[in-house]
């Protein structure tokens, strides 16, 4: 059995990482145009670096929760039976990896990776982004940015994502508001291909009506229960 799982900020909410559009979400405190667009970085790179340095500090102390752990168990159980869990996350945190998931597709990039704005080289980095950082690849300073896909930029791994979606037997969306495309369009693509769809979220998402099955509640409770049911049925 092949399962395509799409996760969003809601899967990491109980690990203490903020979501974006909930009542006290990140985008209620910062204007995304200032800190999550190439134009914002060009206008005020120091503000953008400070924003992501604060999120790196927050991530440093975060631990995966039962939802992340359940998805790691699902990956193992499916692989043991010749199947696959294609775990595609919109999140830039590393909590799926910390929970033991072996293959995580970060379509919006990774917070703990720095990219050189001049030459696009990337390197693992949990330290502070600074204008003084000299890129080891091109030798230029002033270009350090997070390896995070900003609004107006192209999400990563889209070919692999479309291939995985086409071979899935089940599409499950976990902890996402269904507000940002192309991720928010995956469920409609799955449905058009006759693939069963399931939403696991705190509350109905913007495209809840598209899903065959829906379960609502905190991810740390809903996801393990759903995973145990899937594994029992394998
Ligand atoms: N358990 C399950 N779901 C939860 C929980 C929880 N404990 N807490 C919140 N949620 C749900 C909310 O109900 C909401 O539907 O998680 C969803 C979070 O939605 P958003 O804040 O919009 O986050 P997300 O969908 O991941 O945003 C997508 O937008 O800002 C960009 O690139 C950014 O990847 C992000 C993308």
């Amino acid at each position: 059995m092949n399962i395509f799982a799409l996760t969003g900020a809601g899967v990491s909410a109980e690990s203490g990482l903020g979501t974006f559009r909930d009542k006290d979400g990140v985008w209620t405190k910062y204007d995304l145009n200032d800190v999550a667009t190439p134009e914002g970085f060009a206008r005020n790179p120091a503000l953008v670096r400070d924003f992501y340095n604060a999120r790196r500090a927050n991530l440093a102390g975060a631990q995966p929760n039962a939802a992340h752990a359940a998805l790691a168990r699902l990956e193992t159980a499916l692989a043991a039976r010749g199947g696959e869990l294609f775990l595609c996350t919109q999140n830039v945190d590393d909590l799926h990896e910390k929970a033991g998931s072996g293959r995580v597709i970060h379509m919006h990039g990774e917070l703990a990776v720095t990219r050189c704005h001049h030459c696009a080289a990337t390197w693992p980095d949990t330290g502070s982004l600074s204008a003084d950082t000299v890129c080891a690849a091109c030798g230029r300073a002033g270009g350090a940015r997070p390896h995070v896909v900003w609004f107006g930029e192209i999400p990563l791994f889209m070919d692999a994502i479309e291939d995985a979606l086409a071979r899935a037997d089940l599409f499950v969306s976990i902890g996402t508001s269904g507000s940002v495309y192309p991720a928010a369009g995956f469920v409609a693509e799955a449905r058009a291909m006759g693939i069963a769809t399931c939403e696991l979220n705190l509350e109905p998402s913007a495209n809840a009506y598209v899903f065959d099955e829906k379960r609502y509640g905190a991810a740390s409770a809903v996801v393990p229960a759903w995973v145990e049911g899937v594994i029992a049925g394998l």
Side-chain angles (χ1 to χ4, degrees), residues 1 3-5 70-71 73-74 78 85 170-174 196-200 213-215 219 221-233:
M1 181 182 197
I3 297 179
F4 185 116
L71 290 169
R73 284 198 303 278
L74 180 61
L78 289 172
L85 174 67
L170 173 63
F171 173 83
V172 60
S173 177
I174 302 170
T197 57
C198 175
E199 170 169 78
L200 308 178
E213 184 190 3
K214 311 157 213 232
R215 295 190 191 185
V222 169
V223 176
W226 177 80
V227 164
E228 295 323 315
V230 170
I231 292 176

Side-chain angles (χ1 to χ4, degrees), residues 8-10 14 20-22 27 90 108 175-177 180 201-202 219:
E14 291 161 270
F20 293 97
R21 295 171 185 81
D22 286 326
W27 298 146
Q90 301 172 88
H108 290 167
T176 180
S177 63
V180 175
N201 207 49
L202 189 62

